[in-house]
Coordinates of all heavy atoms in Angstrom, one line a residue:
R1 N 110.3 100.1 101.2 CA 109.3 99.8 102.3 C 109.5 100.8 103.3 O 110.5 101.1 103.9 CB 109.7 98.4 102.9 CG 108.7 97.9 103.9 CD 109.0 96.5 104.3 NE 108.3 96.0 105.5 CZ 107.1 95.6 105.5 NH1 106.5 95.4 104.4 NH2 106.5 95.2 106.6
G2 N 108.2 101.4 103.8 CA 108.3 102.3 104.8 C 108.7 103.7 104.5 O 108.8 104.6 105.3
R3 N 108.8 104.0 103.1 CA 109.3 105.3 102.6 C 108.4 105.9 101.5 O 108.7 106.1 100.4 CB 110.8 105.3 102.1 CG 111.8 105.1 103.1 CD 111.9 106.1 104.2 NE 112.0 107.5 103.5 CZ 113.2 108.1 103.2 NH1 114.4 107.4 103.5 NH2 113.2 109.2 102.7
D4 N 107.1 106.0 102.1 CA 106.1 106.7 101.2 C 106.4 108.1 100.7 O 105.7 108.6 99.9 CB 104.7 106.5 101.8 CG 104.3 105.2 102.0 OD1 104.8 104.2 101.3 OD2 103.5 104.8 102.9
D5 N 107.3 108.7 101.5 CA 107.6 110.0 101.1 C 108.5 110.3 99.9 O 108.7 111.4 99.5 CB 108.3 110.8 102.4 CG 109.6 110.0 102.7 OD1 109.5 108.7 102.9 OD2 110.7 110.6 102.8
L6 N 109.1 109.2 99.4 CA 110.0 109.4 98.3 C 109.3 109.6 97.1 O 108.2 109.0 96.7 CB 110.8 108.1 98.1 CG 111.7 107.8 99.3 CD1 112.3 106.3 99.0 CD2 112.9 108.7 99.3
P7 N 109.8 110.5 96.2 CA 109.2 110.9 94.9 C 109.3 109.7 94.0 O 110.3 108.9 94.0 CB 109.9 112.0 94.4 CG 111.3 112.0 95.1 CD 111.0 111.4 96.4
R8 N 108.4 109.6 93.0 CA 108.5 108.5 92.0 C 109.6 108.7 91.1 O 110.1 107.8 90.4 CB 107.1 108.3 91.3 CG 106.0 107.6 92.1 CD 106.4 106.3 92.7 NE 105.5 105.6 93.5 CZ 104.6 104.9 93.2 NH1 104.4 104.5 91.9 NH2 103.8 104.2 94.0
T9 N 109.9 110.0 90.8 CA 111.1 110.2 89.9 C 111.8 111.4 90.5 O 111.3 112.4 91.1 CB 110.5 110.8 88.6 OG1 109.7 109.6 88.0 CG2 111.7 111.0 87.5
E10 N 113.2 111.2 90.5 CA 114.0 112.4 91.1 C 115.4 112.2 90.4 O 115.7 111.1 89.9 CB 114.1 112.3 92.5 CG 114.8 111.1 93.1 CD 115.0 111.2 94.6 OE1 115.3 112.3 95.1 OE2 114.8 110.2 95.3
R11 N 116.2 113.2 90.5 CA 117.5 113.2 90.0 C 118.4 113.3 91.3 O 118.3 114.2 92.0 CB 117.9 114.2 89.0 CG 119.2 114.2 88.5 CD 119.5 115.0 87.2 NE 118.7 114.4 86.1 CZ 119.1 113.6 85.3 NH1 120.4 112.9 85.4 NH2 118.4 113.0 84.3
R12 N 119.3 112.3 91.5 CA 120.2 112.3 92.7 C 121.6 112.0 92.2 O 121.9 111.1 91.6 CB 119.8 111.3 93.6 CG 120.6 111.3 94.9 CD 120.1 110.3 95.9 NE 120.8 110.3 97.1 CZ 121.9 109.7 97.4 NH1 122.5 108.8 96.3 NH2 122.5 109.7 98.6
N13 N 122.5 113.0 92.5 CA 123.9 112.8 92.2 C 124.1 112.4 90.7 O 125.0 111.6 90.3 CB 124.6 111.9 93.1 CG 124.6 112.4 94.6 OD1 124.4 113.6 94.8 ND2 124.7 111.5 95.5
G14 N 123.4 113.1 89.8 CA 123.5 112.8 88.4 C 122.8 111.7 87.9 O 122.9 111.4 86.6
V15 N 122.1 110.9 88.7 CA 121.4 109.7 88.2 C 119.8 110.0 88.3 O 119.4 110.5 89.3 CB 121.7 108.5 89.1 CG1 120.9 107.3 88.6 CG2 123.2 108.3 89.1
E16 N 119.3 109.7 87.2 CA 117.8 109.7 87.2 C 117.2 108.5 87.9 O 117.4 107.4 87.4 CB 117.2 109.8 85.8 CG 115.6 110.1 85.7 CD 115.1 110.1 84.3 OE1 115.8 109.9 83.4 OE2 113.9 110.3 84.1
V17 N 116.4 108.6 88.9 CA 115.9 107.4 89.5 C 114.4 107.4 89.4 O 113.8 108.4 89.8 CB 116.2 107.6 91.1 CG1 115.6 106.5 91.8 CG2 117.6 107.8 91.4
V18 N 113.9 106.3 88.8 CA 112.5 106.1 88.6 C 112.1 105.0 89.4 O 112.5 103.8 89.4 CB 112.2 105.8 87.1 CG1 110.8 105.4 86.9 CG2 112.7 106.9 86.2
R19 N 111.1 105.2 90.4 CA 110.6 104.2 91.4 C 109.1 103.7 90.8 O 108.3 104.5 90.9 CB 110.5 104.8 92.8 CG 111.8 105.1 93.4 CD 111.7 105.5 94.8 NE 113.1 105.9 95.3 CZ 113.6 107.1 95.2 NH1 112.9 108.0 94.7 NH2 114.9 107.3 95.7
V20 N 109.1 102.5 90.3 CA 107.8 102.1 89.8 C 106.9 101.5 90.7 O 107.4 101.1 91.9 CB 108.2 101.0 88.6 CG1 108.9 101.5 87.5 CG2 108.9 99.8 89.2
A21 N 105.6 101.5 90.5 CA 104.7 101.0 91.5 C 105.0 99.5 91.7 O 105.0 98.6 90.7 CB 103.3 101.2 90.9
S22 N 105.1 99.0 92.8 CA 105.3 97.6 93.1 C 105.1 97.4 94.7 O 105.1 98.3 95.5 CB 106.9 97.1 92.8 OG 107.8 97.9 93.5
T23 N 104.7 96.2 94.9 CA 104.6 95.8 96.3 C 105.9 95.8 97.1 O 106.9 95.5 96.5 CB 103.8 94.4 96.4 OG1 104.7 93.4 95.9 CG2 102.5 94.5 95.8
A24 N 105.8 96.0 98.4 CA 107.0 96.0 99.2 C 106.7 95.3 100.5 O 106.8 95.8 101.7 CB 107.5 97.4 99.4
F25 N 106.2 94.0 100.5 CA 105.7 93.3 101.6 C 107.0 92.8 102.3 O 108.1 92.8 101.7 CB 105.0 92.1 101.2 CG 103.6 92.4 100.6 CD1 103.3 92.1 99.4 CD2 102.6 93.1 101.4 CE1 102.0 92.4 98.9 CE2 101.4 93.3 100.9 CZ 101.1 93.1 99.6
D26 N 106.9 92.4 103.6 CA 107.9 91.8 104.4 C 108.4 90.5 103.7 O 107.6 89.6 103.2 CB 107.4 91.4 105.6 CG 108.6 90.9 106.6 OD1 109.6 90.4 106.1 OD2 108.4 91.1 107.8
R27 N 109.8 90.4 103.4 CA 110.3 89.4 102.5 C 110.5 88.1 103.2 O 111.0 87.1 102.7 CB 111.8 89.9 102.0 CG 111.6 91.0 100.9 CD 113.0 91.4 100.5 NE 113.7 92.2 101.5 CZ 114.9 92.4 101.5 NH1 115.8 91.9 100.5 NH2 115.6 93.0 102.5
A28 N 110.1 88.0 104.6 CA 110.2 86.8 105.2 C 109.4 85.7 104.7 O 109.8 84.4 104.8 CB 109.8 87.0 106.8
R29 N 108.2 86.0 104.2 CA 107.4 85.0 103.6 C 107.6 84.9 102.1 O 107.5 85.9 101.3 CB 105.9 85.3 103.9 CG 105.5 85.3 105.3 CD 104.1 85.8 105.6 NE 103.1 85.0 105.0 CZ 101.8 85.2 104.9 NH1 101.3 86.2 105.6 NH2 101.0 84.3 104.3
L30 N 107.9 83.7 101.7 CA 108.4 83.5 100.3 C 107.4 83.9 99.3 O 107.7 84.5 98.2 CB 108.9 82.0 100.0 CG 109.7 81.7 98.9 CD1 110.9 82.5 98.9 CD2 109.9 80.1 98.7
G31 N 106.0 83.5 99.6 CA 105.0 84.0 98.7 C 104.9 85.5 98.5 O 104.8 86.0 97.3
L32 N 105.0 86.2 99.5 CA 105.0 87.7 99.5 C 106.1 88.3 98.8 O 106.1 89.2 98.0 CB 104.8 88.2 100.8 CG 103.5 87.9 101.5 CD1 103.4 88.7 103.0 CD2 102.3 88.5 100.7
R33 N 107.4 87.6 99.0 CA 108.5 88.1 98.2 C 108.3 87.9 96.9 O 108.7 88.8 96.0 CB 109.9 87.2 98.7 CG 111.1 87.7 98.1 CD 112.3 86.9 98.5 NE 112.6 87.3 99.8 CZ 113.9 87.1 100.3 NH1 114.8 86.6 99.6 NH2 114.2 87.6 101.5
G34 N 107.8 86.7 96.4 CA 107.5 86.4 95.0 C 106.6 87.5 94.4 O 106.8 87.9 93.2
L35 N 105.5 87.9 95.1 CA 104.8 88.9 94.7 C 105.5 90.2 94.5 O 105.2 91.0 93.5 CB 103.5 89.2 95.6 CG 102.4 90.1 95.2 CD1 101.8 89.7 93.8 CD2 101.3 90.3 96.3
N36 N 106.3 90.5 95.4 CA 107.2 91.8 95.1 C 107.9 91.8 93.9 O 108.0 92.7 93.2 CB 108.2 91.9 96.4 CG 107.5 92.3 97.7 OD1 106.4 92.7 97.7 ND2 108.3 92.1 98.8
Y37 N 108.6 90.5 93.7 CA 109.3 90.3 92.5 C 108.4 90.5 91.2 O 108.8 91.3 90.3 CB 109.7 88.9 92.4 CG 111.0 88.5 93.3 CD1 111.4 87.3 93.4 CD2 111.6 89.5 94.0 CE1 112.5 86.9 94.3 CE2 112.6 89.2 94.8 CZ 113.0 87.9 95.0 OH 114.1 87.7 95.8
L38 N 107.2 89.9 91.1 CA 106.4 90.0 90.0 C 105.9 91.4 89.6 O 105.8 91.8 88.6 CB 105.3 89.0 90.1 CG 105.6 87.5 90.0 CD1 104.4 86.7 90.4 CD2 106.2 87.1 88.8
T39 N 105.5 92.0 90.9 CA 104.9 93.4 90.6 C 106.1 94.3 90.1 O 105.8 95.2 89.2 CB 104.3 94.0 91.8 OG1 105.2 93.9 92.9 CG2 103.1 93.2 92.1
Y40 N 107.3 94.2 90.7 CA 108.4 95.0 90.2 C 108.7 94.7 88.7 O 108.9 95.7 87.9 CB 109.6 94.9 91.0 CG 110.8 95.5 90.4 CD1 110.9 96.7 90.4 CD2 111.8 94.7 89.9 CE1 112.1 97.4 89.7 CE2 112.9 95.3 89.2 CZ 113.0 96.7 89.1 OH 114.0 97.1 88.5
L41 N 108.8 93.4 88.4 CA 109.1 93.1 87.0 C 108.3 93.7 86.0 O 108.6 94.2 84.9 CB 109.3 91.5 86.8 CG 110.6 90.9 87.6 CD1 110.5 89.5 87.5 CD2 112.0 91.4 86.9
A42 N 107.1 93.6 86.2 CA 106.0 94.0 85.3 C 106.0 95.5 85.2 O 106.1 96.0 84.0 CB 104.6 93.5 85.8
S43 N 106.2 96.2 86.2 CA 106.2 97.6 86.2 C 107.6 98.1 85.6 O 107.5 99.1 84.7 CB 106.1 98.2 87.6 OG 104.8 97.9 88.2
A44 N 108.6 97.4 85.9 CA 110.0 97.8 85.4 C 110.0 97.7 83.9 O 110.7 98.5 83.2 CB 111.1 97.1 86.2
A45 N 109.6 96.6 83.4 CA 109.7 96.3 82.0 C 108.8 97.4 81.3 O 109.3 97.9 80.1 CB 109.1 95.0 81.8
L46 N 107.6 97.7 81.7 CA 106.8 98.8 81.1 C 107.6 100.1 81.1 O 107.6 100.9 80.1 CB 105.4 98.8 81.8 CG 104.4 99.8 81.2 CD1 104.1 99.5 79.7 CD2 103.1 99.8 82.0
A47 N 108.1 100.4 82.3 CA 108.9 101.7 82.4 C 110.0 101.8 81.5 O 110.3 102.8 80.8 CB 109.2 102.0 83.8
G48 N 110.7 100.6 81.4 CA 111.8 100.5 80.5 C 111.4 100.8 79.0 O 112.1 101.4 78.3

């Protein structure tokens, strides 16, 4: 959240980091947190 400058893929200290498309809403609201979860899970499973 708030770091749009980060690349979607990078190698850092020997680790390949893949950032998948997902929402990053404020987690204070349970429904929006759930949407963050679902979008991440779907994108992560596909990337995996």
Side-chain angles (χ1 to χ4, degrees):
R1 181 176 172 82
R3 291 296 308 271
D4 296 334
D5 58 308
L6 294 172
R8 286 302 176 91
T9 302
E10 68 175 315
R11 182 165 292 276
R12 180 178 185 271
N13 295 337
V15 177
E16 183 184 6
V17 183
V18 178
R19 299 184 179 91
V20 297
S22 57
T23 60
F25 294 116
D26 188 332
R27 292 178 288 161
R29 295 176 60 184
L30 195 60
L32 293 179
R33 178 181 288 202
L35 186 58
N36 292 346
Y37 287 170
L38 291 174
T39 55
Y40 167 72
L41 287 170
S43 298
L46 184 60

